Amino acid sequence: MTLGLINANPVVHAKKERVARNDDSHAEDAVDPLEIYDYVRDIRDPEHPYSLEQLSVLSEESITVDEKLGRILITFTPTIQHCSMATVIGLCLREKLKDCFPPHFKVDIKVAPGSHANEESVNKQLNDKERVAAALENPNLRQLVDECLYSSEL
Amino acid sequence: MECLLDRYAGAMADLGDNLVYGICEAIDGEKDPQCLLLVFHIVESLAQLSPGPLANFAEDLFEILGCYFPIHFTHPKGEDDDVKREELARALMLAFASTPLFEPFSIPLLLEKLSSSLPSAKVESFKYLSYCTAKYGPERMAKHAEALWASLKDTTYLSPQSMLSMEPESMSRMNFQESDVMTEAFVLLQEVIRQYGEFISLIIGDNDINAFLISLNQYKGFDDIPLQVKQKLHAVGHILSACAKASAAMCNKVFESFFPFLMDGLGLSVAQPSQNNSYLDEECFSLAKFKFGPLYLCIELIAACKSLTLSLYNCTSIHDFPHQRWCSLLSSFSESLVKAFVSMLRSNVADNEQSAYVYCGVKGLQILATFPGSFTPVSKSVNDNIFLELVSIITSDSNKTFEWTSALKALVEIGFSIDKCLDSEKAASFESTVVEKIVSLISSLDSAIPLSLRLQAAFEIGATRKDFMLRVVRGLDESIDTNFSAVFDHGNHKSDELTIKLLDTYSQKVLPWFLEIGGSEEVQLNFALRIWDKIENFRALNLSPPEFTSISYQDLLGATMTAMKKAVASCSEESQEIIINKASGVLFSSTVFGSMGFKSGSSILKEEGLQQTQNYGNSSGRDEWLTSLFASVVVALRPQTGISNRKMILQLFITSLLNGHVPSAHALGSLVNKLPLETKGIKSSRSLSLNEALDMIFHSFVGTCRDDSTSGNDGSGVNINSLRLNTSRIQLEFNTVIGLAWIGKGLLMRGHEKVKDITMTLLSFLTLDCEAGVSKQFQNLAEVLDEEGVHQLMKCAGDAFHIIMSDSGECLNRMYHATVRPLYKQRFFSTIMPILLSLVVKSESSFVRSMLYRAFAHVVSDTPLTAILGEAKKLFPILLECLSTLSKDVSDKGIIYSVLLVISGILLDKNGQEAAVENASSIVNQLIELTAYPHMMAVRETAIQCLVAVSELPHARVYPLRTKVLRTISKALDDPKRIVRQEAVRCRQAWASIASRSIHF
């Protein structure tokens, strides 16, 4: 990226300890926010070698699930107001969750209210099936998303 | 160069100035870590050999060296893996300390670095300083004393970096996690004080510390003290104790200057001897009077004294100990101190709030009581009082868990210290007060403390010393006795549980402890004999234990058997012989067995067995007790132990086995496993060899189940019997199969060839159903048994292979002295496999085949993986077939799981993968089916993991399967269990990335 970083100096937070769960072996485990969070917390930020968790773009509290209706709602907070990477982060989240959950889950991705300059348009863009599909056809964007999802340089 | 310096010291010294100059040149600006390592070595050896030339150049040389401190790598990691940072730092440290000549330069540099903000630099500096101090000697360090103290004070006292550790338990106990800097600083402090005694006057004279001590008095309770002050308190405590620990003289000084002051702070005065000795009426010590600060410091000081005494005690034998000032001070205060501590423990305020005080109190008492022998500052009566106090805590109340555990810990510590110091007088009083009391606790019925806690206390106290333990064991024995009688005589249900707990303590704690200690086996022997005595008495009284079916009764029997096995197993041959003789005496004199025990020969055995079968319903539980216990003795015997009356024992077990008594089967297996091959000596009528025993066993089984694979006599009389006893017949067959399995296991483990016969018999049971060739022999039998019974019997025979192959905790393992030939499992595997495989091919009925698969699964899953890998190619199709057959029945999920584990083991191995390539598509198909296996989560999980492993196989083989796998896995993403979902995500990623990153298909 020749333009320089959009947020050159982000605040980095410590990673939280992963809690090992002790499931009882008989009950069914419902999908809960922590499970989703465990999938997405390690996605790398598009600009920095830190995870979304470290930049506190995401938190466990920002995720809600309704298993019966099959709905997941993720609200994320871009690091700065005018962050143009917000859409890329959203794309990454969508891709990741598509891999991790069966197709009958409907995933809604939003930026937290008041955290972004063009909140409305970003939300619209992220939840528009056609536009998401189109974005992922773009080889550059696709590569960027893949790097964020599969890179291990955290 | 290094070499030169080492070898030709003389020659090199002549070179003089030139050499040093050259070295300086060479070192200057060097950056490669490996070279640096060498350089530091050179400087070190240089300094050692030639003080002359170096003197002139010391400054220059040090200037160059000094730049390297502290060692800090700027390179990215991974480049210089061979030279570690620690190594370099150590080399530099040695170089720094190599000669006192560096002293004028190094110490200021290090002190300066101390004030840097980098914690690692600080740690490093402290390390160097303490090392250098040791090397340079006191004279040179004297100059720097003040500066050193200033910096030390700065790190430890003024800005302490310790963190209160987070566990709630220790929060209240002044338990600080020190940072590295602090630890190193204290190391330095101790080093300095040891080297340079005058240092202490600096500390004592320090205004800050004195002021701090005075300020401490303003805080009353523990909770009033702010965290900052607590940290300081901790630091000061550490400093003082470091001073006092250094030597007796130091200790004197510290005590003189601080101790009276602290005592004042606590409000204690020198105890008047006239004061009456009653600790019980606490008139003056109200808790509020004790300020935590002085208390804490005081305990730190006493602890320091103790460790000093211990170290002196170890190195010198005679010294004027009581004349030391600190000692007299301490002893004059001791009585009132003890009182204070006791009152702290007595105060019945809520556990939580006071735990800091409780901790201090217990610790103080413990320290005072652990002063070695003759140097103790406390008199004997005071000492006894301490014991009494601690014991009374343990006996009185288990609700205050914190107090209870710390008191117990203190007592154990005291016990250990007494043991170490060989202090006979104290040991006597310890035994009379503490041990007696604790032992009496075991048997006391109405105590408020739960039995498990009481037993724990007893065991821990006992573990401090052997004769204490013996005493504890005696107590245990007694209470086991009384409880047993309670169970048998009065049918007391409460005693059931108590006895079980007692026995568990025996088998889990006491016996292993004695085993570890080694030495006499009296305890084990006595225990075993005692139980047999008990049993004999009950028999003599002809009492029968009540309610045999109740669960607690079964547990009791189980606990007794385990304890018996463990006890017998840890005895030597001679003691085992004593036990077995005693046991068989009891056994055979009992009424039931007595009547038929002395008839021998297999002819009557048949009748006997049948008779027993008929009587099974009403044969009393007492006999079951007897046989079970006897079986557990036999299981644990050593191979060399001589057993008299073998024949009868064997008969006994065979009959009771046929009655469905599983422990007898264990015993038979063990017997067969351990019997000597040949009998030596003349008394062969009483003892018998393995072959004879086997003959007997087979005979009796032949008699009852008419299996003629070993011998041909198919008595017609039995036929009639079998018809008559239609219903009990099936049961008998089951028992036979189980018995055969155990015996087979025993034979297999010692590598005896007869195991083949047994396997063949078992196999014939397996294929019982409608195989024309095989079932001819069983025609009669098949008529007798109804369809369902036959099926169950076959299943049982299949499971028998599990018994043969698996490791058992009950018997036939190393702990119970089994004869184990190496690689016996592999051997069995390779012999049985071809037979099983050919049978599978031959078999027509699907049920027979499924049973064969069952046996196959058991064998495969217990065989070591390496043996299987060699055969992997042949086995794969059958393994898969096996899975598909077994997955029809819900109850087989355990077997499926173990077979799956075998498959995953093969897939993860390189050779195994080669075998898997050929079967890739069928493997994947079977695994895909199992990913939806509804009955067991682990099966689904493992199946998915196996799929991941399959994706590693060669691309051409796997690629065609990709779509199918991905489709299945996306279903698994919806699994009810989270772990399976996570595995599914991983699997999906693995398979998706075979072609490209995309998951679309």
Side-chain angles (χ1 to χ4, degrees):
Chain A
M1 229 163 292
T2 46
L3 294 172
L5 297 173
I6 294 173
N7 180 8
N9 200 8
V11 184
V12 181
H13 302 262
K15 284 188 189 181
K16 263 191 230 142
E17 216 171 291
R18 310 281 156 120
V19 271
R21 304 193 186 200
N22 38 349
D23 299 310
D24 65 303
S25 47
H26 298 296
E28 296 195 350
D29 310 327
V31 179
D32 61 4
L34 181 59
E35 184 181 346
I36 299 172
Y37 185 52
D38 276 336
Y39 285 127
V40 294
R41 67 205 295 183
D42 287 326
I43 295 177
R44 209 198 56 170
D45 185 82
E47 320 192 290
H48 300 287
Y50 296 111
S51 68
L52 295 185
E53 178 190 10
Q54 282 170 307
L55 298 176
S56 68
V57 171
L58 287 171
S59 69
E60 195 187 331
E61 292 75 38
S62 65
I63 300 171
T64 50
V65 198
D66 186 334
E67 210 193 359
K68 272 193 201 121
L69 295 176
R71 290 186 75 122
I72 298 171
L73 170 65
I74 297 187
T75 318
F76 69 96
T77 317
T79 47
I80 43 172
Q81 283 263 323
H82 48 275
C83 183
S84 66
M85 287 296 159
T87 48
V88 182
I89 295 175
L91 264 184
C92 291
L93 289 174
R94 188 167 285 284
E95 266 306 281
K96 184 79 188 178
L97 292 182
K98 203 169 83 188
D99 288 356
C100 298
F101 286 94
H104 65 77
F105 272 96
K106 181 180 187 316
V107 181
D108 289 314
I109 297 174
K110 288 187 174 148
V111 290
S115 68
H116 199 272
N118 316 335
E119 192 182 320
E120 194 97 337
S121 69
V122 170
N123 283 347
K124 204 166 181 188
Q125 195 178 347
L126 283 179
N127 292 305
D128 187 327
K129 227 186 196 171
E130 307 270 321
R131 288 175 78 178
V132 168
L136 288 174
E137 299 274 315
N138 179 340
N140 290 334
L141 262 179
R142 175 92 231 174
Q143 199 193 346
L144 185 57
V145 167
D146 282 346
E147 271 170 22
C148 292
L149 291 187
Y150 302 113
S151 82
S152 53
E153 54 184 86
L154 289 177
Chain B
M1 190 76 177
E2 193 189 355
C3 203
L4 280 179
L5 280 171
D6 277 345
R7 297 270 170 81
Y8 307 106
M12 296 300 277
D14 296 340
L15 280 175
D17 291 3
N18 285 334
L19 175 69
V20 180
Y21 188 70
I23 291 177
C24 282
E25 290 271 278
I27 299 174
D28 204 3
E30 182 59 64
K31 279 210 177 93
D32 183 63
Q34 241 155 6
C35 298
L36 276 178
L37 203 57
L38 268 183
V39 161
F40 295 150
H41 278 307
I42 290 173
V43 174
E44 194 194 337
S45 41
L46 182 68
Q48 269 158 19
L49 100 172
S50 55
L54 201 62
N56 312 327
F57 286 94
E59 190 169 1
D60 293 342
L61 193 54
F62 190 77
E63 217 164 76
I64 296 163
L65 275 184
C67 317
Y68 292 109
F69 181 83
I71 304 281
H72 181 63
F73 274 168
T74 47
H75 301 296
K77 277 176 206 163
E79 207 173 300
D80 301 298
D81 269 345
D82 42 343
V83 184
K84 294 273 167 351
R85 198 183 154 280
E86 285 79 37
E87 264 176 64
L88 260 183
R90 204 182 143 61
L92 183 60
M93 182 161 88
L94 290 177
F96 263 36
S98 58
T99 164
L101 289 172
F102 283 150
E103 173 268 327
F105 319 108
S106 63
I107 301 288
L109 172 78
L110 290 171
L111 285 175
E112 183 195 323
K113 290 286 177 199
L114 268 185
S115 53
S116 84
S117 59
L118 214 63
S120 70
K122 274 191 184 180
V123 174
E124 205 83 321
S125 317
F126 275 125
K127 255 188 213 160
Y128 280 43
L129 272 174
S130 27
Y131 191 74
C132 291
T133 316
K135 284 277 173 183
Y136 292 170
E139 303 86 42
R140 282 178 175 274
M141 291 310 288
K143 290 182 267 178
H144 300 288
E146 239 164 280
L148 267 178
W149 169 235
S151 60
L152 271 176
K153 198 172 81 174
D154 189 47
T155 37
T156 56
Y157 171 66
L158 293 180
S159 56
Q161 295 188 341
S162 54
M163 304 284 287
L164 254 186
S165 61
M166 273 311 156
E167 309 119 62
E169 265 281 274
S170 49
M171 266 301 243
S172 48
R173 297 194 227 159
M174 294 293 292
N175 208 344
F176 286 95
Q177 211 88 62
E178 289 170 8
S179 62
D180 289 349
V181 183
M182 291 277 278
T183 350
E184 286 304 325
F186 285 127
V187 170
L188 171 63
L189 180 67
Q190 222 158 342
E191 189 57 43
V192 172
I193 292 175
R194 225 186 46 208
Q195 288 287 327
Y196 173 62
E198 284 306 299
F199 198 79
I200 204 157
S201 58
L202 279 174
I203 300 175
I204 293 174
D206 192 276
N207 285 332
D208 280 346
I209 287 191
N210 283 328
F212 175 69
L213 288 181
I214 293 167
S215 76
L216 268 182
N217 284 338
Q218 76 196 23
Y219 306 109
K220 277 193 179 144
F222 175 75
D223 298 320
D224 302 337
I225 308 174
L227 183 66
Q228 202 91 44
V229 181
K230 273 185 206 166
Q231 283 179 341
K232 284 190 180 179
L233 183 59
H234 174 69
V236 171
H238 232 297
I239 293 174
L240 290 186
S241 79
C243 298
K245 260 182 224 170
S247 76
M250 297 296 131
C251 197
N252 275 341
K253 278 190 188 151
V254 175
F255 257 77
E256 269 170 23
S257 38
F258 292 115
F259 200 66
F261 178 75
L262 289 174
M263 288 296 110
D264 274 352
L266 281 177
L268 298 178
S269 55
V270 180
Q272 280 97 44
S274 63
Q275 234 171 2
N276 53 351
N277 237 353
S278 59
Y279 281 83
L280 299 173
D281 35 279
E282 294 297 330
E283 68 295 342
C284 56
F285 295 118
S286 65
L287 193 74
K289 271 176 82 181
F290 298 117
K291 289 152 190 157
F292 187 76
L295 184 66
Y296 175 75
L297 287 180
C298 171
I299 287 177
E300 282 285 315
L301 269 183
I302 304 176
C305 286
K306 193 199 80 181
S307 65
L308 175 68
T309 331
L310 273 180
S311 63
L312 290 177
Y313 183 78
N314 286 338
C315 54
T316 55
S317 50
I318 314 155
H319 35 86
D320 47 345
F321 220 76
H323 309 307
Q324 298 279 9
R325 178 90 181 96
W326 64 267
C327 203
S328 54
L329 259 177
L330 187 56
S331 51
S332 64
F333 277 109
S334 65
E335 206 154 323
S336 49
L337 266 176
V338 170
K339 268 188 197 170
F341 292 142
V342 168
S343 77
M344 261 177 262
L345 294 179
R346 290 269 171 80
S347 59
N348 284 325
V349 199
D351 185 49
N352 205 6
E353 194 190 327
Q354 297 302 322
S355 56
Y357 282 102
V358 170
Y359 176 72
C360 284
V362 172
K363 184 151 184 226
L365 287 182
Q366 178 196 330
I367 291 167
L368 284 178
T370 46
F371 268 96
S374 46
F375 311 118
T376 174
V378 287
S379 59
K380 187 175 176 299
S381 66
V382 178
N383 219 338
D384 284 349
N385 274 318
I386 296 178
F387 290 158
L388 274 181
E389 184 59 32
L390 287 175
V391 169
S392 77
I393 292 175
I394 289 191
T395 50
S396 63
D397 200 351
S398 61
N399 289 331
K400 296 182 187 171
T401 32
F402 177 73
E403 193 175 338
W404 195 86
T405 46
S406 50
L408 179 58
K409 228 187 266 170
L411 274 180
V412 171
E413 284 291 321
I414 294 173
F416 274 124
S417 86
I418 289 176
D419 192 29
K420 223 186 284 170
C421 295
L422 305 169
D423 185 350
S424 56
E425 189 192 347
K426 219 187 217 177
S429 75
F430 187 77
E431 183 162 9
S432 64
T433 48
V434 180
V435 179
E436 290 296 324
K437 189 84 185 168
I438 298 283
V439 167
S440 73
L441 255 188
I442 300 176
S443 49
S444 73
L445 285 172
D446 44 30
S447 169
I449 311 168
L451 181 70
S452 54
L453 280 179
R454 278 185 275 157
L455 287 176
Q456 184 200 346
F459 175 72
E460 281 181 21
I461 298 283
T464 55
R465 199 165 161 172
K466 198 167 176 186
D467 41 347
F468 295 167
M469 186 56 110
L470 287 176
R471 182 71 193 81
V472 170
V473 165
R474 231 177 300 145
L476 269 178
D477 280 344
E478 274 159 28
S479 68
I480 287 181
D481 265 6
T482 50
N483 275 317
F484 252 125
S485 342
V487 173
F488 284 106
D489 295 348
H490 318 298
N492 192 340
H493 270 295
K494 255 191 203 150
S495 317
D496 276 4
E497 290 160 36
L498 292 183
T499 323
I500 290 171
K501 269 188 189 150
L502 287 168
L503 286 168
D504 281 348
T505 319
Y506 232 107
S507 51
Q508 281 159 21
K509 284 183 174 165
V510 177
L511 291 176
W513 190 83
F514 274 106
L515 208 57
E516 211 172 277
I517 292 286
S520 75
E521 51 195 357
E522 229 174 299
V523 177
Q524 292 95 313
L525 180 61
N526 279 341
F527 173 73
L529 290 182
R530 190 181 273 271
I531 287 191
W532 278 110
D533 271 340
K534 267 275 139 198
I535 300 289
E536 192 172 23
N537 287 341
F538 296 134
R539 189 190 49 71
L541 290 171
N542 217 3
L543 290 165
S544 57
E547 290 178 55
F548 301 108
T549 46
S550 71
I551 298 163
S552 66
Y553 160 76
Q554 287 297 340
D555 289 346
L556 180 58
L557 178 56
T560 322
M561 281 173 66
T562 334
M564 177 67 90
K565 271 189 218 170
K566 288 230 169 116
V568 174
S570 50
C571 284
S572 70
E573 281 100 43
E574 292 83 43
S575 333
Q576 284 187 341
E577 243 162 81
I578 300 174
I579 295 174
I580 190 90
N581 283 336
K582 166 96 186 168
S584 55
V586 174
L587 188 64
F588 288 112
S589 62
S590 94
T591 46
V592 175
F593 299 107
S595 61
M596 56 189 186
F598 290 100
K599 297 181 224 160
S600 61
S602 60
S603 57
I604 56 147
L605 218 128
K606 243 184 305 187
E607 291 163 33
E608 222 173 76
L610 297 173
Q611 195 184 329
Q612 276 291 312
T613 319
Q614 282 168 319
N615 292 341
Y616 185 60
N618 52 18
S619 75
S620 72
R622 179 156 41 87
D623 297 333
E624 192 191 338
W625 262 89
L626 278 172
T627 352
S628 304
L629 281 180
F630 193 65
S632 46
V633 172
V634 171
V635 160
L637 286 182
R638 288 172 195 274
Q640 295 85 7
T641 310
I643 311 171
S644 56
N645 270 337
R646 281 213 174 105
K647 233 171 217 169
M648 266 157 45
I649 294 171
L650 212 55
Q651 280 170 16
L652 164 71
F653 282 140
I654 291 170
T655 42
S656 64
L657 162 66
L658 293 179
N659 290 333
H661 190 245
V662 181
S664 302
H666 296 173
L668 270 181
S670 307
L671 265 182
V672 163
N673 185 252
K674 290 165 192 168
L675 276 179
L677 276 175
E678 300 294 330
T679 39
K680 340 159 212 139
I682 321 148
K683 41 172 187 172
S684 56
S685 60
R686 305 221 84 194
S687 61
L688 79 174
S689 71
L690 177 64
N691 284 331
E692 283 172 295
L694 282 178
D695 280 348
M696 254 179 88
I697 292 170
F698 281 124
H699 257 292
S700 55
F701 283 147
V702 163
T704 47
C705 72
R706 284 171 307 117
D707 149 41
D708 57 354
S709 64
T710 46
S711 63
N713 66 337
D714 198 356
S716 56
V718 190
N719 206 352
I720 300 162
N721 278 336
S722 68
L723 285 170
R724 199 169 47 207
L725 298 166
N726 198 343
T727 43
S728 63
R729 197 66 210 181
I730 303 174
Q731 195 56 45
L732 203 60
E733 297 289 347
F734 280 132
N735 298 335
T736 314
V737 169
I738 293 172
L740 276 177
W742 284 106
I743 294 165
K745 186 172 168 58
L747 285 175
L748 174 67
M749 285 176 85
R750 70 184 293 173
H752 195 269
E753 57 199 0
K754 280 261 168 66
V755 72
K756 215 164 195 175
D757 297 336
I758 290 186
T759 355
M760 291 316 293
T761 319
L762 285 174
L763 280 176
S764 61
F765 272 113
L766 260 182
T767 49
L768 201 58
D769 205 10
C770 41
E771 282 281 330
V774 189
S775 67
K776 225 167 213 170
Q777 304 164 3
F778 292 95
Q779 235 163 26
N780 295 335
L781 195 60
E783 279 166 21
V784 173
L785 302 173
D786 53 305
E787 186 88 345
E788 200 181 326
V790 174
H791 283 192
Q792 271 177 5
L793 185 56
M794 287 163 71
K795 211 171 193 173
C796 186
D799 290 337
F801 283 91
H802 179 60
I803 295 177
I804 291 183
M805 288 299 283
S806 65
D807 297 315
S808 163
E810 299 276 311
C811 65
L812 284 174
N813 50 31
R814 294 224 180 261
M815 209 176 99
Y816 298 134
H817 313 292
T819 326
V820 183
R821 250 179 103 180
L823 297 179
Y824 74 94
K825 283 185 179 175
Q826 277 91 326
R827 198 167 295 125
F828 187 67
F829 171 77
S830 54
T831 46
I832 194 83
M833 248 336 124
I835 307 176
L836 269 178
L837 294 189
S838 68
L839 276 176
V840 167
V841 173
K842 263 197 276 173
S843 69
E844 285 155 13
S845 113
S846 67
F847 189 77
V848 171
R849 205 174 303 151
S850 79
M851 283 304 122
L852 284 172
Y853 280 135
R854 196 184 174 83
F856 171 80
H858 281 309
V859 173
V860 162
S861 53
D862 284 320
T863 311
L865 195 60
T866 40
I868 294 178
L869 280 175
E871 306 275 311
K873 233 174 231 175
K874 258 188 275 169
L875 289 183
F876 248 122
I878 305 170
L879 277 172
L880 296 173
E881 190 76 6
C882 181
L883 280 180
S884 73
T885 3
L886 288 176
S887 61
K888 280 166 200 149
D889 193 348
V890 188
S891 58
D892 293 340
K893 54 188 178 183
I895 310 176
I896 290 193
Y897 182 54
S898 41
V899 174
L900 254 185
L901 285 180
V902 172
I903 290 188
S904 79
I906 297 176
L907 285 175
L908 289 176
D909 185 90
K910 199 153 170 294
N911 295 331
Q913 278 172 0
E914 277 164 27
V917 168
E918 289 169 27
N919 303 298
S921 96
S922 49
I923 292 175
V924 165
N925 285 337
Q926 187 57 49
L927 287 176
I928 280 177
E929 251 163 60
L930 286 178
T931 55
Y933 189 74
H935 310 299
M936 194 178 181
M937 194 250 315
V939 168
R940 296 196 297 269
E941 190 191 350
T942 322
I944 295 177
Q945 279 166 349
C946 287
L947 277 177
V948 175
V950 172
S951 75
E952 309 276 306
L953 295 179
H955 194 264
R957 277 281 172 184
V958 184
Y959 188 77
L961 306 166
R962 179 169 163 270
T963 332
K964 208 196 267 174
V965 174
L966 284 177
R967 209 174 289 142
T968 330
I969 287 298
S970 72
K971 274 178 220 143
L973 285 176
D974 211 8
D975 198 276
K977 298 300 282 187
R978 187 173 295 118
I979 302 170
V980 181
R981 290 198 290 265
Q982 277 161 359
E983 285 302 327
V985 169
R986 268 187 51 214
C987 181
R988 189 169 151 128
Q989 207 161 322
W991 278 86
S993 60
I994 288 180
S996 71
R997 284 259 169 87
S998 103
I999 291 182
H1000 309 292
F1001 49 86

